[in-house]
Amino acid sequence: MTEAPELPDLSPDDCHPRAAAALADPFFWSLTDETAPFGNETAHETLTAFRDFRDEHPKKSPIELLDALLERWEVGNGGWDAVDAAEVEALGEEDEYGLLTRDEAILGLAFSQIVVEGRLDPEVRRRALLALARQALPAVLSAYEGRALERALRIDRMRGVLSARWE
């Protein structure tokens, strides 16, 4: 029997003050709720990697980390601008794992940067908002079965946070 991976530490008591204020709803801090930004293994790994990345490279673009993670995971690094339902469906049919992993990674990265630094890189924000648009499509929401409405409402809350000023 394999051990469950260790979850990263995530708490409103141990983050940037701007993050604690903006992420007032407890769901933002959940590491186990699949409808939350950190509720999957991809986001856990992204949060841990971002913290390490910032320690080692305080001035580098977080996109460099994203590129490295996707390469390590052998996930394609494209389709960022796809939001049309037919185009997203085609991407999903071609590589569903890649599509979902990219979205989980960019959302994890966006919220990691907010939690750690209290700011958000413009390109990370742009890609994360596009990921939320994809995640809000009926074909993607249907995977959440009985929690699709809850996921849609949380996508709206995440969009609101990401759309705020984070300079």
Side-chain angles (χ1 to χ4, degrees):
M1 186 169 175
T2 61
E3 267 185 55
E6 189 173 320
L7 296 177
D9 292 327
L10 183 68
S11 164
D13 299 327
D14 186 28
C15 70
H16 193 281
R18 291 187 70 204
L23 307 176
D25 190 310
F27 98 89
F28 282 110
W29 303 97
S30 176
L31 294 168
T32 57
D33 182 343
E34 66 181 359
T35 67
F38 292 109
N40 57 71
E41 287 183 37
T42 302
H44 302 163
E45 191 167 337
T46 303
L47 174 60
T48 300
F50 183 74
R51 287 172 170 159
D52 293 344
F53 180 78
R54 268 302 170 245
D55 287 345
E56 296 169 22
H57 309 287
K59 300 290 184 199
K60 281 192 175 181
S61 167
I63 295 296
E64 291 184 42
L65 171 63
L66 178 65
D67 293 344
L69 289 173
L70 294 175
E71 185 176 334
R72 181 177 358 141
W73 297 332
E74 298 179 6
V75 171
N77 193 353
W80 292 107
D81 295 328
V83 291
D84 173 74
E87 187 179 1
V88 172
E89 191 171 318
L91 284 170
E93 287 174 8
E94 182 181 312
D95 181 14
E96 180 180 17
Y97 173 77
L99 175 67
L100 296 176
T101 301
R102 277 190 301 279
D103 283 356
E104 290 171 351
I106 193 63
L107 291 172
L109 182 60
F111 283 94
S112 293
Q113 189 176 22
I114 289 169
V115 165
V116 172
E117 300 180 321
R119 60 179 233 76
L120 186 56
D121 176 88
E123 180 61 13
V124 172
R125 176 199 321 254
R126 186 186 80 79
R127 291 186 190 188
L129 288 169
L130 290 167
L132 289 173
R134 283 188 292 277
Q135 292 294 305
L137 292 171
V140 179
L141 280 176
S142 67
Y144 288 87
E145 297 171 352
R147 299 188 73 192
L149 177 58
E150 181 180 15
R151 173 67 172 172
L153 293 171
R154 288 181 171 182
I155 286 170
D156 285 344
R157 310 235 346 250
M158 287 186 267
R159 186 180 291 124
V161 168
L162 296 179
S163 297
R165 282 191 64 160
W166 287 105
E167 292 80 32

